[in-house]
Amino acid sequence: MHTISLAIPLGLIHALRTAQHVAVLTGAGVSAESGVPTFREAQTGLWSQYNPEDLATPEAFRRQPAVVWQWYDWRRRLVAAAEPNAAHRALAALEMLVPRLTLITQNVDGLHQRAGSTDVIELHGNLQRVVCSRDHQVVTSWAETEDVPPRCPQCQALLRPDVVWFGESLPQRALQAALDAARDCDVFLSVGTSAVVQPAASLPYEALEHGAITVEVNPSATALTEHATYVLPGPAGQVLPALLHAAWHEPGIAP
Ligand code: BJW
């Protein structure tokens, strides 16, 4: 692996060391180094191969529930076989280094929790949970029959993954907690997200409007890049450990 040589600005080191509240928004890029595909990248993103309208909308599920279920089943197995990477571990370690950390993720893969982060705000749900498509109650066991998707043991409606599709509302409490954190934090990190999907994409701007120092960690430019206070271009699995090392001489997170 090539390591990037990254100069962390002194102003950012000072801001992190004195921050009372750090908020972090993560996207698919934070799990890329775990082998989990992102969504929108031209060669490797999931949507270079699949049309989101065919798979990640309620209409798609109504039209072809078996295809949608199987796509999520494939991703569930892919994520179960993946391991948290140095970026997930750095964010878990950050919890111990700042007075208050709020970790907000758009990811549905559960890798932050597996790396040891607690109280993760999941804006787009979690792939491992299954709910009834009629009343959205979590279902933990069901009869294995020929039905794909399987059916709710209570009402026989189709089961679906507990994720937020386009056009669906985000979990209200999670979204409110994320907005509160963006408005309250001193430093806001946007890590591994293309920053196009609303309302998550508005969080860094909320933070900026409320006076936070906003940092983007991403090897590619996004719409946020020109607005961020600091931009750390590079893979999160290298940039975040370097950031912790620069601010706290934290040695423990190997890339
Ligand atoms: C690395 C890296 C490395 C690579 N290190 N980085 C206002 C205006 C316009 C539209 C809307 C609006 N409000 C709502 C909408 C509609 C819609 C929307 O935002 N559409 C946009 C596309 C324009 N939003 C919604 O429908 C949301 N619901 C809602 O708002 O309800 C109310 C409402 C509805 C309708 C109208 C108005 C109001 C729901 C959004 C749900 C998103 N769901 C998905 C699927 C989840 C389930 C699943 O996993 O299948 O969530 S879509 C997909 O995108 C997934 C992700 O969480 C989300 C964000 O993607 P992310 O994480 O940014 O990934 P990528 O691939 O885009 O980017 C990866 C980045 O990583 C890249 O930049 C790389 O460079 C970088 N990277 N390697 C660091 N090693």
Side-chain angles (χ1 to χ4, degrees), residues 28 33 39-40 72 75 124 164 167-168 193-194 198 218 236:
E33 290 156 85
F39 290 93
R40 293 175 183 79
Y72 279 97
R75 287 177 53 203
H124 293 164
V164 181
E168 293 187 318
T193 174
S194 58
Q198 297 292 351
N218 196 318

Side-chain angles (χ1 to χ4, degrees), residues 153-213:
Q154 301 298 326
C155 72
Q156 301 305 309
L158 299 180
L159 297 179
R160 57 163 281 182
D162 187 10
V163 298
V164 181
W165 286 324
F166 284 116
E168 293 187 318
S169 299
L170 276 66
Q172 191 51 43
R173 276 173 52 186
L175 179 58
Q176 192 57 56
L179 281 167
D180 290 347
R183 292 167 183 158
D184 175 74
C185 67
D186 310 300
V187 178
F188 186 99
L189 305 180
S190 175
V191 184
T193 174
S194 58
V196 293
V197 174
Q198 297 292 351
S202 68
L203 293 170
Y205 298 95
E206 286 288 334
L208 277 168
E209 272 173 33
H210 286 77
I213 285 171

Side-chain angles (χ1 to χ4, degrees), residues 50-57 59-61 63-64 67-68 71:
Y50 307 97
N51 178 356
E53 304 304 322
D54 291 339
L55 294 161
T57 64
E59 295 72 27
F61 186 69
R63 206 169 50 238
Q64 42 178 7
V67 172
V68 173
W71 188 61

Side-chain angles (χ1 to χ4, degrees), residues 130-138 160-163 168:
V130 166
V131 292
C132 171
S133 60
R134 186 171 296 162
D135 61 11
H136 227 90
Q137 293 300 305
V138 174
R160 57 163 281 182
D162 187 10
V163 298
E168 293 187 318

